[in-house]
Amino acid sequence: MRRKLVAGNWKMNGDSTFLAEVEILKAAHASSTVEILLCPPATLLDRLRTIAGASFSIGGQDCHAATSGAHTGDISAPMLNDAGASFVILGHSERRQDHGESSSDVCKKAKTAISTHLCGVICLGESLQERESGETLDVIADQLTSSVPDEVNAENLVIAYEPIWAIGTGKVPTTGQIGEVHNFIRTALTERFGPETGEAVRILYGGSVKNTNAVEIFAIPNVDGALVGGASLSAADFSPIITALENS
Ligand code: PGA
């Protein structure tokens, strides 16, 4: 039985005033039946840890493949761990685009994260052009093979399917399109890692998840929750999405 997971990816948003939003979320979902993960900018991890307590998990948005060294501006997996994180988002399309990260880079980061006892939320997704030219499943298969290391299990891996064209655009794939990709990922994980791990890894959907579409998305088979960007930035927007997952 996979425990449902809803993750908020704040991206490069948030300062200490955002912590008040987390207090509101906590009042509403302190003992939720689903796992709630907050991924703030690294500057807020430590303060968020104090507020989150046992109610929420916290995670970083990226880590370096090395554990320490001369990499100005980067953050290592052990540093995230030290700041209280138990998850790290890896291979988000914004990192792949803005920082030229390849699937092989993502795989190296994932290995380091796993060896540091972090759970990697590895993001996959096709561009609009790839979707329109019928390449979606090929792209997902390739990203899955090359971004996910061999060392994974259900405790240290979460997959997030995030079509690039749906991120921050308000455009969402049909339930059939989401279901097709999630089933495809489930089958690929089962073939590669065996039925026990393949069935237990959680697969999230991400890309313009809102209060208005969450119920429909969470009803799709093999959707175990969501990775939420814009709508995770206020308690008023995020709380109904959490509630939709709790009721799914
Ligand atoms: P969005 O972002 O919910 O704002 O579309 C999702 C993500 O990039 O993780």
Side-chain angles (χ1 to χ4, degrees):
M1 187 64 183
R2 298 184 293 270
R3 189 170 183 217
K4 305 257 163 91
L5 170 66
V6 57
N9 173 14
W10 293 9
K11 309 190 179 184
M12 200 173 71
N13 298 292
D15 55 23
S16 41
T17 61
F18 272 52
L19 300 175
E21 297 295 316
V22 180
E23 296 278 14
I24 298 170
L25 275 184
K26 193 172 170 183
H29 303 281
S31 43
S32 180
T33 49
V34 305
E35 185 166 13
I36 302 168
L37 165 65
L38 300 176
C39 300
T43 48
L44 290 179
L45 275 173
D46 197 35
R47 274 174 289 172
L48 201 54
R49 149 168 58 189
T50 312
I51 300 173
S55 302
F56 306 140
S57 302
I58 61 174
Q61 298 178 9
D62 176 52
C63 70
H64 198 279
T67 51
S68 66
H71 303 288
T72 302
D74 281 316
I75 295 179
S76 75
M79 288 170 182
L80 291 175
N81 208 337
D82 183 52
S86 48
F87 287 79
V88 60
I89 298 171
L90 294 170
H92 190 283
S93 60
E94 287 152 15
R95 301 262 346 149
R96 292 179 189 258
Q97 281 171 349
D98 297 355
H99 300 270
E101 283 184 12
S102 65
S103 290
S104 138
D105 296 328
V106 176
C107 188
K108 286 184 198 133
K109 290 174 178 214
K111 282 187 191 190
T112 309
I114 288 167
S115 68
T116 313
H117 309 296
L118 293 174
C119 177
V121 181
I122 298 184
C123 303
L124 320 169
E126 81 286 1
S127 67
L128 188 57
Q129 196 210 336
E130 289 161 341
R131 162 67 63 185
E132 286 175 344
S133 53
E135 294 167 53
T136 298
L137 297 183
D138 290 340
V139 169
I140 297 298
D142 183 53
Q143 290 179 346
L144 198 57
T145 305
S146 12
S147 307
V148 177
D150 291 333
E151 300 71 355
V152 299
N153 58 44
E155 277 73 52
N156 61 28
L157 175 69
V158 170
I159 297 288
Y161 168 54
E162 297 208 309
I164 299 169
W165 51 276
I167 294 175
T169 59
K171 290 185 197 147
V172 181
T174 64
T175 52
Q177 288 171 326
I178 296 174
E180 179 188 38
V181 176
H182 280 241
N183 288 343
F184 179 80
I185 293 171
R186 176 74 60 217
T187 303
L189 290 172
T190 303
E191 280 171 4
R192 180 166 166 199
F193 299 107
E196 202 178 317
T197 296
E199 280 299 322
V201 170
R202 292 175 288 184
I203 307 174
L204 309 182
Y205 168 77
S208 296
V209 175
K210 310 271 178 236
N211 178 22
T212 46
N213 57 26
V215 171
E216 199 182 19
I217 291 170
F218 295 149
I220 303 169
N222 279 317
V223 172
D224 302 309
L227 180 54
V228 184
S232 73
L233 295 176
S234 80
D237 291 333
F238 198 33
S239 179
I241 295 173
I242 299 171
T243 303
L245 189 61
E246 288 167 345
N247 294 337
S248 69

